[in-house]
């Protein structure tokens, strides 16, 4: 997915899609992957929300003109234990892929944040276990 320290550095990407793509190219690529645009949740000037009946998360893409500003996966799971486990698995995978430790400004049982500084962007993994357990992974190009 992402490689931070390599001679053949890959561009900052979201699941293989370079975030340097234009907004139109990114949307077309997501549609080709089987996502649909949730037009009720999208804002035509700032945000596109993608959903897929096969996946347990939604993808939000923020943009400014033809430039992707951020991409966020947002999971809504049924239990706090499942989100805690997913947060740890995602954090460990990114740590291995990027070859770096995250900055973790918050590490409580029900609220955890891990920020990874990649060469071309920041990846944040955020757990918020309140009355509705939520896990978010954000990709923000620099």
């Amino acid at each position: 997915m992402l490689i931070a320290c390599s001679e053949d550095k890959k561009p900052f990407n979201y699941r293989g899609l370079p975030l340097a793509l234009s907004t139109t190219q990114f949307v077309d690529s997501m549609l080709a992957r089987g996502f649909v645009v949730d037009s009720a949740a999208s804002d035509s000037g700032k945000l596109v929300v993608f959903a897929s009946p096969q996946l347990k998360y939604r993808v939000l893409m923020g943009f400014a003109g033809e430039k992707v500003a951020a991409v966020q996966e947002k999971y809504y799971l049924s239990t706090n234990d499942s989100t805690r486990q997913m947060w740890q698995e995602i954090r460990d995978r990114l740590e291995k892929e990027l070859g770096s430790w995250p900055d973790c400004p918050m590490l409580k049982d029900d609220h955890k944040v891990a920020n990874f500084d990649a060469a071309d962007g920041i990846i944040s993994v955020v757990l918020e276990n309140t009355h509705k357990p939520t896990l978010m992974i954000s990709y923000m190009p620099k």
Side-chain angles (χ1 to χ4, degrees), residues 27-96:
V27 170
D28 290 345
S29 297
M30 291 295 286
L31 296 175
R33 291 180 174 201
F35 284 89
V36 295
V37 173
D38 180 348
S39 57
S42 297
D43 173 352
S44 63
K46 298 177 187 172
L47 178 73
V48 176
V49 179
F50 300 96
S52 173
Q54 293 83 19
L55 301 173
K56 295 180 182 180
Y57 62 90
R58 298 169 64 89
V59 178
L60 293 74
M61 180 199 67
F63 64 94
E66 277 299 308
K67 185 176 178 185
V68 176
V71 175
Q72 181 184 76
E73 288 181 352
K74 195 165 191 176
Y75 294 78
Y76 296 103
L77 301 168
S78 58
T79 68
N80 288 343
D81 289 340
S82 61
T83 53
R84 283 186 197 112
Q85 180 180 346
M86 266 184 88
W87 184 89
Q88 190 64 50
E89 290 169 359
I90 291 166
R91 179 191 176 271
D92 292 347
R93 178 180 49 84
L94 286 169
E95 188 177 298
K96 184 177 178 181

Side-chain angles (χ1 to χ4, degrees), residues 104-140:
C104 296
M106 178 76 66
L107 280 176
K108 296 181 180 179
D109 280 346
D110 290 327
H111 190 180
K112 299 176 189 255
V113 177
N115 297 317
F116 291 88
D117 190 355
D120 298 338
I122 303 289
I123 302 172
S124 295
V125 184
V126 179
L127 170 71
E128 293 178 345
N129 281 340
T130 55
H131 61 281
K132 187 171 188 174
T134 304
L135 177 68
M136 296 173 285
I137 302 123
S138 300
Y139 299 78
M140 295 161 283

Side-chain angles (χ1 to χ4, degrees), residues 1-13 16 18-19 98 118-121:
M1 187 167 116
L2 292 173
I3 308 232
C5 301
S6 171
E7 292 293 322
D8 300 323
K9 188 180 88 165
K10 295 180 182 177
F12 190 59
N13 69 78
L19 292 179
L98 296 170
D120 298 338

